[in-house]
Amino acid sequence: QVQLMESGGGSVQAGGSLRLSCAYSGRTYDLVRMAWFRQGPGKEREGVASTHQWPPRTLYVDSVKGRFTISQDNTKNMLYLQMNSLKPEDTAMYYCAAADSTTQSRGWSNSSSYNYWGQGTGVTISS
């Protein structure tokens, strides 16, 4: 089992920045990919960014490219999402997700590709 806990959400004005953090623990040695998802009011959950062990790569949804950066520090068991130039449409609950080797990938932005989820942290961007 793997446990995930997000932090860092809050309320900022458009154009501002936030950094989300996700602490992971448990059987972390078997994790093969991690991601951030979000679900805005009245919207479906969408993949925002992901990071993969092999081959090493990071992937982003088009709407955040150039503004968000996903990073991982395995020495601290932390996943981050640096969010810059925030827009009101970035308002959402943000979730950390992880997949171990038992979980088949159906695409990085498909929530079924991840078998561990955090509780979420809220982000509100005002105009």
Side-chain angles (χ1 to χ4, degrees), residues 37-108:
F37 282 72
R38 67 185 179 186
Q39 187 165 15
K43 298 181 180 179
E44 294 186 353
R45 187 173 296 191
E46 70 166 347
V48 176
S50 69
T51 181
H52 302 251
Q53 293 296 319
W54 190 259
R57 64 196 185 280
T58 56
L59 299 167
Y60 298 89
V61 68
D62 285 347
S63 60
V64 307
K65 285 181 180 177
R67 300 189 298 124
F68 291 10
T69 302
I70 188 171
S71 61
Q72 186 174 7
D73 186 341
N74 284 323
T75 66
K76 298 180 180 179
N77 282 4
M78 295 292 294
L79 181 74
Y80 302 101
L81 185 67
Q82 177 67 44
M83 305 187 295
N84 299 327
S85 302
L86 284 160
K87 304 175 181 180
E89 51 263 43
D90 294 319
T91 294
M93 187 68 76
Y94 283 72
Y95 299 91
C96 175
D100 60 24
S101 60
T102 68
T103 303
Q104 181 180 4
S105 177
R106 295 173 175 82
W108 76 266

Side-chain angles (χ1 to χ4, degrees), residues 2 4-5 15 17 19 36 44 66 80 92 96 98-99 118 120:
V2 174
L4 307 174
M5 181 173 292
S17 298
R19 188 175 82 154
W36 289 96
E44 294 186 353
Y80 302 101
C96 175

